[in-house]
Amino acid sequence: MTAIELRGLTKHYGDVTALEGVDLTVDEGEIFGFLGPNGAGKSTTIDILLDFVRPTAGEAQVFGMDSQEKTLGVRRRTGVLPDGFHVYDRLTGRQHIQFVVESKEADDDPIDVLERVGIADAADRKTGGYSKGMRQRLALGMALTGDPDLLILDEPSTGLDPAGAREIREIVREESDRGTTIFFSSHVLSQVEAVCDRVGILRAGELIAVDTVEGLRDAAGTEARLKITVDGIDDDAMDAIRALDGVSRVSLSDSQLTVAVSDGSKTAVLSALEDRGVTVHDFETDESSLEELFISYTEGSA
Amino acid sequence: MSWAVVAKKDFQDAIRSRALWGLSAVFLLLVGGVSVLYATLDEITGGEPTAVGLIFFVGSTIGLFVSVAAIVTCYKAIAGEREVGSMKILLSLPHTRRDVVVGKLVGRTAVLAVPIVVALLVGAFAGTALLGEIAPVATVLFGVVGLLFALTYAGIMVGLSATTGSTTRAAALAIGFLLVVEFLWDIVILALVYVANGFVFPTGTADFPAWIYPVSQVPPSSAFVTSLTAVIPDAPMQASGNVPTAEAFDAFFATPWVGVVALVLWTVVPIVLGYWRFQAADL
């Protein structure tokens, strides 16, 4: 059974393309990381799943239910921590959870929920006096209320300190252990990397990579960065390096030459330099991290 | 009954508005003051104050109060939630957009009903204390029409609020409505009469065409007062603005029940149009 299915999902706002032909399947029970820089279309995708926004083309399904035709069915089984949300300043934390309990016909005790997200002591205070982090915790509590089958978290760590972000990850794992599917959207890779089974990377409205975290890391690992401290290098030598098989990028700053190169071609680079009379003082290689891969994907450099 | 959950939450939220409390306090002082004036000043009653007359006197203050209080209470009802993002929380729960509109309408009407009911109790108490009589039937009917009037105004304002995601625009629409349909309507009527009469002002109100009567019932607060005269027996006849009461015209539609029809139309049309815009919108 699939939890989320997007087929050719496209959304245009006038001339602006928010999403273009996104195809994606998230299986039930998965923790899926939805990565991309701000403005890539992550929130638009979530807004379509919840029928806040109607797609220009394509379709979105949650547990086999069309997002536009079975809106209530989708919302009944889903808990959402939206991005850029606002709580009701004049109501207390307890009233917020109570409202969700009544809306979802659930039987949670509001205080248990607030306990879980760490703000039980503020249950009877109006949320107008809450800090940003407390509001984020309250919204997470509202998302968890009613034990949803799908949890959609849009930038859940906003306003939280590192300890709060860690608590979110713990809650995500607990929910996942109970069989909940989690769709975790973020522009920060480290938060997604730590908990997600699979990751999709969105750039400028297009899904450019979907793989397991290991798969992406492997892809990243096949290319290393060779940092070479050199003396007497000229443009000809640079061009010669660029022309080598397996070399994708070459840059020079002061006397440090940085070469992005596939695993098997490191020696070729070094010999090519020596052949041209360039002195190699020192060199080191470092595996490119997933973070760099993410940045290279999302910034669109070759 | 999803809308009822929304209405309850909305009532809890909107009833805590300080602006509404302040407005209600001024309103209740006004009601108290007006009641005492009515009961004690012979110039108003011609020396024969009655409980029904008192109720109507109180009613004249409700017209203005409800229109202003409805703007304060309702103009942000939907536009405000869309603007700040609480709509994302509301609609992530199992509520349809129709549940939200209906829930908002009911919740905000209930909020407006609180000061109206209190005002009625003040009026009834003043009647008993100052005149030694109360008019129970008139008071209850007054309450019913008063609540319909609150529903009407909440419907207009929630409906306008549903058409936009900007509170600035919602406020402009609400104030524009008040200006044109309430405050400047007399001028609209005069202009219509002027045009219909061949670009000459008629010499007296007797020359007004009969169709001007329903047109004069377009402002909801006029329709409210007219509705009161329709449903309450022994109601003192009073004209609003410069158009005479129904008796002055000879036409089947020249009856104070036109006021009730106007209130019902104002209750239905703006909220339906607002919902129609809201359900088609990208939030």
Side-chain angles (χ1 to χ4, degrees):
Chain A
M1 181 82 183
T2 56
I4 295 177
E5 172 122 41
L6 310 178
R7 276 200 292 263
L9 200 62
T10 299
K11 177 68 186 178
H12 298 162
Y13 291 100
D15 295 340
V16 182
T17 300
L19 286 177
E20 191 65 55
V22 171
D23 294 295
L24 175 67
T25 305
V26 176
D27 290 324
E28 215 169 315
E30 225 183 334
I31 307 182
F32 188 86
F34 201 43
L35 265 176
N38 294 327
K42 303 189 300 292
S43 291
T44 302
T45 306
I46 292 172
D47 285 349
I48 289 174
L49 286 174
L50 296 166
D51 193 38
F52 295 168
V53 165
R54 279 66 184 250
T56 309
E59 57 178 331
Q61 291 189 347
V62 176
F63 298 118
M65 297 177 284
D66 184 90
S67 67
Q68 287 185 79
E69 279 157 28
K70 306 268 190 215
T71 310
L72 278 190
V74 172
R75 291 178 188 167
R76 274 195 198 100
R77 293 186 65 184
T78 308
V80 186
L81 170 57
D83 183 33
F85 68 91
H86 195 269
V87 292
Y88 299 101
D89 289 346
R90 296 183 291 219
L91 300 181
T92 65
R94 187 197 300 269
Q95 282 172 317
H96 277 80
I97 304 292
Q98 187 61 38
F99 173 52
V100 181
V101 168
E102 287 169 23
S103 296
K104 291 197 149 179
E105 295 168 9
D107 51 7
D108 303 54
D109 182 345
I111 210 74
D112 290 345
V113 176
L114 293 170
E115 195 102 48
R116 195 157 170 224
V117 293
I119 51 169
D121 50 341
D124 294 312
R125 274 168 47 199
K126 288 182 186 174
T127 61
Y130 279 20
S131 69
K132 209 174 169 214
M134 289 167 80
R135 285 181 203 163
Q136 192 72 13
R137 285 162 184 269
L138 176 61
L140 176 63
M142 293 171 81
L144 294 172
T145 302
D147 195 12
D149 300 321
L150 169 65
L151 201 51
I152 295 178
L153 307 175
D154 197 356
E155 301 284 358
S157 310
T158 308
L160 295 179
D161 54 20
R166 193 168 57 239
E167 280 176 63
I168 294 237
R169 290 199 293 271
E170 278 160 20
I171 287 176
V172 163
R173 287 200 194 92
E174 284 166 27
E175 287 298 305
S176 177
D177 290 344
R178 286 156 58 163
T180 310
T181 309
I182 291 143
F183 191 76
F184 188 126
S185 140
S186 179
H187 68 285
V188 184
L189 174 89
S190 57
Q191 288 165 10
V192 165
E193 195 181 12
V195 284
C196 294
D197 303 321
R198 282 201 309 149
V199 176
I201 298 179
L202 197 66
R203 186 190 67 199
E206 291 184 58
L207 197 60
I208 52 175
V210 182
D211 205 341
T212 59
V213 173
E214 289 73 26
L216 286 176
R217 192 170 277 134
D218 285 349
T222 59
E223 195 167 79
R225 255 192 336 188
L226 194 56
K227 288 182 181 172
I228 314 166
T229 315
V230 291
D231 228 357
I233 192 163
D234 54 20
D235 285 346
D236 281 350
M238 293 275 286
D239 288 339
I241 305 287
R242 274 194 193 98
L244 288 173
D245 278 349
V247 171
S248 60
R249 253 178 323 201
V250 180
S251 63
L252 181 69
S253 108
D254 295 332
S255 58
Q256 174 143 312
L257 185 67
T258 307
V259 183
V261 64
S262 64
D263 266 346
S265 312
K266 288 177 199 163
T267 7
V269 171
L270 294 175
S271 3
L273 284 171
E274 277 159 3
D275 287 353
R276 300 199 165 248
V278 178
T279 320
V280 174
H281 289 294
D282 193 12
F283 72 90
E284 54 176 334
T285 55
D286 76 284
E287 308 298 319
S288 73
S289 71
L290 197 51
E291 186 78 42
E292 276 163 16
L293 179 80
F294 171 52
I295 289 168
S296 77
Y297 267 130
T298 54
E299 286 175 351
S301 46
Chain B
M1 296 293 274
S2 180
W3 61 266
V5 177
V6 177
K8 179 186 158 195
K9 189 279 308 170
D10 205 52
F11 179 80
Q12 288 175 333
D13 184 21
I15 196 76
R16 285 176 173 79
S17 152
R18 295 227 172 91
L20 176 74
W21 285 8
L23 213 52
S24 299
V26 172
F27 168 59
L28 290 175
L29 284 175
L30 200 64
V31 168
V34 156
S35 303
V36 172
L37 283 180
Y38 177 83
T40 54
L41 286 184
D42 289 348
E43 286 80 359
I44 297 172
T45 59
E48 287 174 35
T50 62
V52 173
L54 174 66
I55 288 287
F56 267 80
F57 217 65
V58 170
S60 61
T61 61
I62 286 188
L64 181 64
F65 166 74
V66 169
S67 54
V68 174
I71 288 188
V72 172
T73 316
C74 303
Y75 84 97
K76 280 185 177 175
I78 287 175
E81 288 220 23
R82 278 172 68 179
E83 190 170 86
V84 301
S86 51
M87 191 59 85
K88 287 188 177 182
I89 287 193
L90 187 51
L91 280 178
S92 74
L93 299 171
H95 304 298
T96 62
R97 295 192 192 187
R98 191 174 60 208
D99 293 331
V100 169
V101 171
V102 174
K104 289 273 171 193
L105 174 63
V106 173
R108 305 276 155 145
T109 302
V111 167
L112 289 174
V114 173
I116 293 178
V117 169
V118 174
L120 269 185
L121 293 177
V122 169
F125 174 80
T128 317
L130 300 169
L131 306 173
E133 63 165 357
I134 52 169
V137 175
T139 306
V140 168
L141 288 172
F142 187 97
V144 170
V145 178
L147 294 183
L148 171 62
F149 182 49
L151 177 70
T152 302
Y153 245 106
I156 294 167
M157 291 304 155
V158 172
L160 289 176
S161 190
T163 61
T164 171
S166 146
T167 53
T168 314
R169 190 173 297 173
L173 288 171
I175 291 168
F177 176 88
L178 194 69
L179 277 181
V180 174
V181 180
E182 291 285 4
F183 298 151
L184 300 179
W185 199 252
D186 278 353
I187 296 173
V188 173
I189 290 176
L190 286 180
L192 287 173
V193 169
Y194 178 74
V195 172
N197 204 40
F199 297 93
V200 188
F201 278 111
T203 42
T205 53
D207 295 335
F208 278 20
W211 54 259
I212 212 68
Y213 180 71
V215 173
S216 76
Q217 299 308 311
V218 166
S221 56
S222 304
F224 166 61
V225 174
T226 307
S227 300
L228 289 175
T229 64
V231 300
I232 298 177
D234 314 321
M237 289 305 156
Q238 51 176 259
S240 58
N242 45 24
V243 176
T245 54
E247 285 69 34
F249 299 102
D250 181 24
F252 75 94
F253 51 77
T255 144
W257 290 96
V258 168
V260 179
V261 173
L263 285 189
V264 171
L265 283 176
W266 276 123
T267 305
V268 175
V269 176
I271 200 89
V272 167
L273 291 178
Y275 167 68
W276 177 66
R277 283 290 298 271
F278 179 51
Q279 60 91 25
D282 278 344
L283 304 179

